[in-house]
Amino acid sequence: MRKVTQRVGAARDPVRMGSTVLSLRIDGELLDRLKVHAAKRGMSVQDYVVRTLIRDDFDERFKTAVEETERFYGDIAS
């Protein structure tokens, strides 16, 4: 397994409000797959991973909001 350390810069992406360092230890095969996925989208591995995390975080927050709305209003489909 290889240790990957990359700096996340705020200047390129207005979504990020600052910068910090996240160090990951990932398997070489996973890194190779991430490189392929990122290249298909014309992105760096760093940007691809950050976008994936942002999308997953949004999906989770949206799901939670829908569940809370359903609890508040009851099951609308019934």
Side-chain angles (χ1 to χ4, degrees):
M1 293 182 29
R2 285 184 266 181
K3 184 177 179 182
V4 178
T5 303
Q6 294 186 338
R7 186 168 178 88
V8 178
R12 292 187 311 221
D13 190 344
V15 173
R16 295 182 223 141
M17 298 304 292
S19 66
T20 190
V21 174
L22 173 65
S23 178
L24 301 172
R25 186 177 303 273
I26 62 173
D27 181 82
E29 289 181 29
L30 175 58
L31 180 58
D32 292 340
R33 289 196 313 271
L34 289 172
K35 286 178 181 178
V36 170
H37 289 297
K40 285 180 183 177
R41 291 159 181 80
M43 304 171 80
S44 68
V45 172
Q46 173 183 318
D47 288 341
Y48 177 77
V49 170
V50 169
R51 292 286 180 192
T52 302
L53 292 171
I54 290 170
R55 184 178 59 239
D56 184 62
D57 179 60
F58 171 81
D59 291 347
E60 188 63 33
R61 288 184 290 130
F62 182 76
K63 178 183 170 192
T64 300
V66 169
E67 290 170 352
E68 289 175 4
T69 301
E70 288 175 347
R71 278 195 302 272
F72 183 77
Y73 288 106
D75 189 5
I76 299 171
S78 299

